[in-house]
Amino acid sequence: MSLKPRQVDFNAVWGSLQETVKSVITLGHVPRQIWSDRFSDVYSLCVAHPESMADRLYAETKQYLIDHVALLLIKVQEDGEDNLIKNYYHYWSQYSRGLFYLHLLYWYLNQQHIRMQKPSDAEMIYGSSDANAGEQLEIKELALEVWKNGMITPLGEKLVKLLLETIDKDRSEHTTLIPIEAIQGTITSFVEVQRFKIKGKLKLYQDLFEEPFLDASGEHFKRDAARLLEERDVSLYMEKVITKVDEELARARKFLHASSLTKVSQRCEQHMVAEHLDFLYSECMNMVQGERKRDLSNMYSLLKSLPNALNILVDTVLDHSKCQGLESIGTLQGDNIHVNFVENLLEVYQKYRQQIQEVFSGDQNFMGALDKACSSVINHRPNKGKTPCRSPELLAKYCDTLLKKSSKGISEAEVDEKLRKSITIFKYIDDKDVFQKFYARMLAKRLIHQQTQSMDAEEAMINRLKQACGYEFTSKLHRMFTDMSVSADLNNKFNAFLKDDSIDLGVNFCIYILQAGAWPFGQAIVTPFSLPQQLVKSVQMFETFYYNRFNGRKLTWLHHLCQAELRLGYLKKPYVVTVQTFQMAILLLFETADSLVCKEIRETLLLNADQFQRHAISLVDSKLLLCDSEELTPEAVLRLNMEYTNKRTRFRITAAIQRESPQEVEHTINSVEEDRKLYLQAAIVRIMKSRKVLKHNALIQEVCAQSKVSFAPSIPMIKKCIEALIDRHYMERTQHSSEEYSYIA
Amino acid sequence: MPYQQMDDKSDVDSQKPEKMFTLKKWNAVAMWSWDVECDTCAICRVQVMDACLRCQAESKTDNYGKQECVVVWGECNHSFHYCCMSLWVKQNNRCPLCQQEWSIQRMGK
Ligand SMILES: [Zn+2]
Ligand SMILES: [Zn+2]
Ligand SMILES: [Zn+2]
């Protein structure tokens, strides 16, 4: 073949080309040689001399296709309505495949002629090129356009009517007379026919088929819902609706274009769920209270995609878990309240948490509801808010029980696990600083009375608190630990000092030195006491040693925390008894007197009534002392029990140690308010230092955000702190506004 | 640990106690604080045993409870946080409580 442009006889060439076009579009056999000859015919027509015949070729081809499709339209309808879909699909499959070969045959026309005049993509999108009727299309697109106009336009509505009937039959009888592929192929031909469009590819499919389909389906869903509702059984109804949605989705997958799937399930949910919410909600409470997991999970899956439909279910779960939580801690009694409190709450928490995972796929709405429920249970104030919340104290006591030596029969790993879980409760506590106070007081006692089970466990717990609330929250607790190690060092140095100067104290002495402020003991609890002669030298020597080493410090002896070991030599067997200093002082008085009147003892030792009572009673209860009357009245007479026996040669008088002094509790509670003020002032200074200038509201907001980890501050308290700092020139109001502050360095 | 665990029992059995009571061991507890007339620093209104307000605001740099914020006494015997006083004297070299000229008598240690 020659590539040179030459004169061509259009009619002759088109005559043979048309024969081949017919074979190609009907998938007939085309020998290789014929194919390449016709291929060059297309070329020669396009480059014909003196003038290209491409436009004429295009026009003739278009007309040929129009005639061909008109012929097919007759053939499709030949066998009546029953065979309409089948026939349509048959000719569509043939035509839609054939047009691709045709497109190849017209390669040169497409490539060199049509593409050249095609508008750019930008013009297609922003201009109105689609509407340009005179525009030439590539052959494959042209063929589809011809099919749309010649076949779908006249036949579309009838096809859709038949399709809807067929699908309806599939719904009721789960079978169709027409092969599935014919139904599916017919439906997707409405998409296929538009496939080369740049915009609105799905429009024909949607307008012609999808919309009538969804409307018809909607009517079907309404009828189905009405039928199912007659049984008045929510559980059953939900089961059936879920099955129905699944079925409809499977059907849509079988027949429709993928873009219709969510529309189908939405329509189904609208008519079967959204329009019957009240019916579903009527059983909500019973399902939640009865913990009917399958029902709840069904309800969740039906409601989750409807806007706001879950709220009622979420609220019901919130109320129920809150009631369960309050009930679990409502009637606690006895010595183990703190253990029951924490463990019962954890049980309720774990149960609902697991339920939410299992039944509600861990949905955040429900997790949020559980958080709210826990928070209101844990911060609940009984008696309409008049009784203070005991959670901080009970939780601290729970930790204390676990960290104390006495927690026997429980492994270190179990202790660790329980402490780890207790953080769950801790995180819900609003007044974390109150917890910190109680925790500090109990930690102090564990450290001073050497009741700590394991330093590792103590440290791990403090790290957990630090992680939850930040460094500041635990800094005082850390200072207590520091004092412990500083004291160990001081004891060594003091012993060396005694050795150097050959001093004998007459007693094995050791001491803890606590830094005031870091420990939860106020100065106020120091009561008068006349120190027994045997201890005076120890105190004097240590003070000499200590004041030599440090400048500007003073020591206050906390006798109520001191302990002594006393050997009893007046009994049949020698015993060694560990007592508190006040108990020791009482006992030592009997070295020089056989019997003593209570009043006398108190006056000699300068003990206050409360101190005397507590310690004397513990000695009488332990039978080391005998009393001539039931009550320790000022006139009661005490004497040593010379017949005292004990199976053990070493023992401890413990009763008085464990009693909580009311002053201590009061001190703990009072100090919270003071600490909050200081905390807020430090926070304000910190914020102002980094921000330099800040508006009032922004400052309040940031202070609240920072203190949230420890407590919820009251706005008036923050305002007072701001005023106090302005008075002391840490910050000032700016010149522009009284609502704006600046930091003074 | 400063406390010894209970000794072996030899001392119970062997020694002959001639006295009714023998004090074997005393585990004392004492609290130290700055020897000041007033617990509160008049400049920042925080207890002198605690770090001053500015130091507390920067608590993140204060590592593991080491008290770097010490107390200072003037010749007039009034006492303040050293941090607070050193800022104060830049403005006014007088004691904020008695208006005497400020000179340091001693520092806490
Ligand atoms: Zn200060
Ligand atoms: Zn400071
Ligand atoms: Zn002064």
Side-chain angles (χ1 to χ4, degrees):
Chain A
M1 112 183 195
S2 160
L3 293 176
K4 232 173 142 186
R6 57 188 163 94
Q7 277 194 313
V8 189
D9 174 356
F10 182 84
N11 288 332
V13 175
W14 170 243
S16 54
L17 179 56
Q18 191 183 343
E19 279 306 304
T20 305
V21 168
K22 185 182 173 183
S23 300
V24 168
I25 199 75
T26 54
L27 301 178
H29 177 67
V30 177
R32 203 186 168 86
Q33 187 54 49
I34 302 278
W35 175 273
S36 31
D37 289 351
R38 295 301 87 83
F39 190 86
S40 26
D41 286 347
V42 171
Y43 171 79
S44 51
L45 288 173
C46 289
V47 300
H49 190 78
E51 210 178 337
S52 165
M53 293 175 174
D55 289 345
R56 208 168 149 195
L57 173 62
Y58 183 84
E60 289 292 349
T61 308
K62 183 174 177 182
Q63 190 54 51
Y64 176 78
L65 287 172
I66 290 172
D67 295 343
H68 175 65
V69 169
L71 204 71
L72 292 184
L73 178 64
I74 296 167
K75 285 190 178 175
V76 166
Q77 299 181 90
E78 241 166 27
D79 305 322
E81 275 197 359
D82 289 350
N83 295 298
L84 191 71
I85 292 175
K86 214 176 79 192
N87 285 351
Y88 172 88
Y89 176 65
H90 171 75
Y91 290 111
W92 162 251
S93 335
Q94 188 189 63
Y95 184 82
S96 59
R97 280 160 65 204
L99 66 89
F100 279 96
Y101 296 112
L102 189 65
H103 186 77
L104 292 178
L105 187 66
Y106 278 67
W107 183 83
Y108 192 80
L109 181 82
N110 289 328
Q111 206 63 20
Q112 293 303 316
H113 187 72
I114 296 171
R115 267 202 200 158
M116 291 300 167
Q117 39 167 296
K118 238 188 167 173
S120 73
D121 284 354
E123 281 173 296
M124 289 293 272
I125 293 167
Y126 301 111
S128 54
S129 307
D130 252 359
N132 186 350
E135 187 217 327
Q136 291 183 350
L137 302 169
E138 286 186 37
I139 295 303
K140 57 184 183 188
E141 205 176 341
L142 173 71
L144 288 174
E145 191 67 17
V146 168
W147 181 271
K148 189 182 102 184
N149 295 330
M151 184 67 80
I152 297 179
T153 304
L155 208 57
E157 276 184 33
K158 190 178 270 178
L159 277 172
V160 168
K161 178 179 149 283
L162 292 170
L163 285 167
L164 295 184
E165 281 170 16
T166 308
I167 292 174
D168 228 29
K169 200 171 166 66
D170 187 54
R171 277 188 179 126
S172 54
E173 294 167 26
H174 297 279
T175 174
T176 52
L177 294 171
I178 307 160
I180 291 170
E181 57 168 10
I183 303 167
Q184 198 259 351
T186 303
I187 293 173
T188 46
S189 76
F190 306 149
V191 181
E192 288 285 301
V193 85
Q194 302 279 70
R195 62 185 292 183
F196 300 116
K197 290 257 197 247
I198 295 207
K199 297 190 287 190
K201 282 184 201 205
L202 291 173
K203 191 160 185 329
L204 176 71
Y205 165 77
Q206 286 166 346
D207 293 349
L208 182 65
F209 174 77
E210 190 186 55
E211 210 182 292
F213 168 78
L214 289 175
D215 288 345
S217 302
E219 290 307 313
H220 167 78
F221 298 145
K222 279 186 204 166
R223 284 193 303 275
D224 222 36
R227 183 176 60 80
L228 293 174
L229 280 169
E230 277 167 19
E231 309 207 29
R232 311 280 338 142
D233 181 332
V234 175
S235 307
L236 197 67
Y237 182 80
M238 292 193 300
E239 295 276 355
K240 297 223 164 137
V241 171
I242 286 170
T243 316
K244 181 72 186 164
V245 175
D246 287 347
E247 265 175 31
E248 284 299 322
L249 276 174
R251 184 166 292 117
R253 247 175 244 120
K254 195 161 65 172
F255 296 134
L256 310 189
H257 186 255
S259 65
S260 300
L261 292 181
T262 48
K263 295 179 190 171
V264 169
S265 58
Q266 270 170 11
R267 214 37 104 88
C268 193
E269 279 160 3
Q270 182 194 330
H271 297 303
M272 306 196 80
V273 184
E275 287 170 9
H276 303 288
L277 283 179
D278 287 343
F279 172 65
L280 294 178
Y281 290 153
S282 69
E283 193 61 18
C284 210
M285 182 83 87
N286 289 335
M287 280 168 17
V288 171
Q289 285 177 349
E291 289 167 13
R292 283 148 51 186
K293 290 189 183 176
R294 189 176 167 91
D295 283 347
L296 287 169
S297 150
N298 284 346
M299 181 150 246
Y300 173 71
S301 71
L302 288 176
L303 297 180
K304 67 178 173 198
S305 48
L306 299 176
N308 302 324
L310 276 178
N311 293 357
I312 288 190
L313 183 58
V314 170
D315 289 347
T316 312
V317 169
L318 193 161
D319 287 345
H320 180 64
S321 47
K322 185 176 156 185
C323 285
Q324 295 285 298
L326 285 174
E327 205 172 286
S328 77
I329 54 167
T331 54
L332 297 181
Q333 275 178 341
D335 291 340
N336 261 348
I337 289 186
H338 54 288
V339 177
N340 295 335
F341 174 83
V342 175
E343 292 183 352
N344 292 4
L345 276 180
L346 277 173
E347 204 179 302
V348 172
Y349 171 80
Q350 296 292 3
K351 180 177 142 184
Y352 284 98
R353 199 188 142 85
Q354 204 192 333
Q355 213 175 81
I356 289 169
Q357 295 296 348
E358 213 177 292
V359 177
F360 304 128
S361 333
D363 188 303
Q364 283 311 305
N365 288 302
F366 291 93
M367 291 308 287
L370 181 59
D371 281 345
K372 270 192 209 160
C374 289
S375 171
S376 71
V377 169
I378 290 170
N379 297 298
H380 178 68
R381 290 156 168 257
N383 290 336
K384 297 181 180 139
K386 282 179 206 143
T387 312
C389 175
R390 286 194 70 196
S391 306
E393 183 194 346
L394 293 174
L395 183 63
K397 207 165 166 195
Y398 180 73
C399 299
D400 183 53
T401 309
L402 289 169
L403 288 163
K404 246 189 209 163
K405 259 181 194 161
S406 57
S407 63
K408 277 173 197 149
I410 165 165
S411 75
E412 218 166 293
E414 276 173 285
V415 167
D416 193 62
E417 177 67 8
K418 279 169 185 274
L419 288 170
R420 193 182 59 74
K421 283 186 178 162
S422 72
I423 290 290
T424 305
I425 305 289
F426 172 72
K427 284 184 174 160
Y428 288 113
I429 288 180
D430 283 342
D431 296 334
K432 294 195 175 64
D433 55 345
V434 178
F435 167 85
Q436 194 251 28
K437 292 280 167 199
F438 281 106
Y439 191 90
R441 208 173 85 217
M442 293 172 198
L443 170 63
K445 289 196 176 166
R446 287 200 297 280
L447 290 175
I448 288 173
H449 300 314
Q450 294 158 298
Q451 288 173 318
T452 278
Q453 171 82 15
S454 126
M455 275 313 210
D456 287 349
E458 293 281 1
E459 216 161 289
M461 189 61 194
I462 286 180
N463 280 333
R464 288 189 190 104
L465 297 173
K466 187 158 101 184
Q467 226 165 25
C469 291
Y471 166 75
E472 257 172 292
F473 189 79
T474 50
S475 68
K476 283 199 175 172
L477 306 180
H478 280 299
R479 272 157 73 184
M480 288 161 65
F481 282 104
T482 310
D483 279 353
M484 288 287 113
S485 50
V486 169
S487 296
D489 187 46
L490 274 176
N491 275 292
N492 289 336
K493 290 190 171 130
F494 180 53
N495 284 332
F497 160 83
L498 292 176
K499 210 171 163 195
D500 285 353
D501 290 12
S502 315
I503 299 164
D504 180 16
L505 298 177
V507 57
N508 183 348
F509 172 88
C510 70
I511 187 164
Y512 284 132
I513 300 291
L514 317 180
Q515 180 184 331
W519 292 73
F521 314 117
Q523 301 273 5
I525 52 170
V526 175
T527 51
F529 175 53
S530 158
L531 194 68
Q533 200 48 47
Q534 290 90 325
L535 296 176
V536 170
K537 192 175 181 190
S538 298
V539 169
Q540 281 172 351
M541 289 321 297
F542 187 79
E543 287 187 342
T544 309
F545 161 80
Y546 192 80
Y547 292 142
N548 249 321
R549 296 185 69 84
F550 297 101
N551 233 343
R553 294 191 181 193
K554 72 170 185 235
L555 288 175
T556 307
W557 294 80
L558 304 179
H559 290 297
H560 62 291
L561 296 174
C562 304
Q563 281 187 20
E565 264 179 40
L566 209 52
R567 183 210 300 272
L568 309 180
Y570 56 90
L571 297 166
K572 284 188 194 99
K573 252 173 31 177
Y575 292 98
V576 173
V577 53
T578 303
V579 286
Q580 280 187 273
T581 302
F582 294 146
Q583 293 166 328
M584 171 195 66
I586 295 171
L587 286 175
L588 288 177
L589 292 179
F590 289 92
E591 211 163 24
T592 51
D594 288 340
S595 66
L596 288 163
V597 180
C598 284
K599 191 162 164 259
E600 219 177 318
I601 298 177
R602 260 193 66 194
E603 278 162 7
T604 312
L605 296 177
L606 303 174
L607 288 174
N608 69 28
D610 177 61
Q611 298 275 23
F612 173 75
Q613 278 287 330
R614 291 198 297 128
H615 294 97
I617 283 176
S618 68
L619 292 172
V620 172
D621 285 351
S622 69
K623 304 212 160 55
L624 279 174
L625 290 183
L626 300 173
C627 181
D628 68 345
S629 73
E630 290 283 302
E631 298 276 317
L632 282 181
T633 55
E635 285 71 36
V637 179
L638 293 174
R639 66 182 69 248
L640 275 185
N641 178 7
M642 303 305 283
E643 304 301 312
Y644 181 85
T645 56
N646 193 323
K647 273 185 284 184
R648 307 167 63 126
T649 54
R650 284 173 171 276
F651 55 93
R652 181 188 285 267
I653 307 294
T654 51
I657 248 180
Q658 259 133 18
R659 274 187 211 131
E660 206 108 276
S661 100
Q663 292 114 303
E664 280 178 286
V665 180
E666 209 184 301
H667 174 76
T668 303
I669 290 168
N670 287 341
S671 63
V672 167
E673 190 88 341
E674 278 313 304
D675 284 3
R676 284 186 177 183
K677 278 186 199 151
L678 183 55
Y679 183 101
L680 291 174
Q681 289 181 8
I684 295 168
V685 170
R686 179 164 53 241
I687 293 164
M688 289 309 300
K689 189 178 180 187
S690 72
R691 307 290 290 271
K692 303 294 182 249
V693 175
L694 207 57
K695 289 253 192 298
H696 176 79
N697 285 344
L699 177 58
I700 298 261
Q701 220 166 33
E702 219 167 304
V703 171
C704 287
Q706 287 203 8
S707 40
K708 205 175 56 193
V709 292
S710 182
F711 63 98
S714 76
I715 305 295
M717 196 193 250
I718 301 178
K719 284 185 178 161
K720 257 187 215 163
C721 290
I722 293 176
E723 290 306 325
L725 291 171
I726 290 175
D727 282 353
R728 276 176 264 149
H729 306 292
Y730 282 85
M731 54 199 274
E732 61 190 0
R733 293 198 162 81
T734 62
Q735 288 158 336
H736 322 293
S737 157
S738 62
E739 291 285 279
E740 191 178 63
Y741 309 110
S742 67
Y743 179 70
I744 304 175
Chain B
M1 295 299 293
Y3 275 39
Q4 303 292 308
Q5 283 305 314
M6 295 206 173
D7 310 314
D8 53 333
K9 35 179 147 126
S10 59
D11 50 3
V12 175
D13 301 331
S14 59
Q15 280 184 358
K16 275 202 175 158
E18 61 274 11
K19 291 161 76 182
M20 286 179 73
F21 297 101
T22 315
L23 183 57
K24 289 180 52 59
K25 191 168 174 183
W26 191 40
N27 294 337
V29 181
M31 191 155 67
W32 77 264
S33 52
W34 298 117
D35 187 13
V36 289
E37 279 176 18
C38 174
D39 288 341
T40 310
C41 166
I43 302 174
C44 71
R45 311 278 168 92
V46 174
Q47 304 248 326
V48 286
M49 275 314 288
D50 285 326
C52 74
L53 196 52
R54 282 180 211 269
C55 285
Q56 291 212 12
E58 280 161 49
S59 60
K60 270 146 209 154
T61 58
D62 173 19
N63 50 353
Y64 286 78
K66 281 221 179 89
Q67 261 277 31
E68 305 295 355
C69 190
V70 293
V71 170
V72 62
W73 285 261
E75 285 300 343
C76 59
N77 220 23
H78 288 129
S79 49
F80 310 91
H81 288 116
Y82 180 72
C83 306
C84 296
M85 201 55 205
S86 42
L87 274 172
W88 180 271
V89 293
K90 283 184 192 161
Q91 310 274 338
N92 177 2
N93 194 26
R94 292 183 180 278
C95 168
L97 291 175
C98 64
Q99 301 303 319
Q100 277 186 46
E101 190 150 328
W102 177 258
S103 79
I104 293 177
Q105 180 204 99
R106 58 181 171 147
M107 296 268 290
K109 193 181 96 177

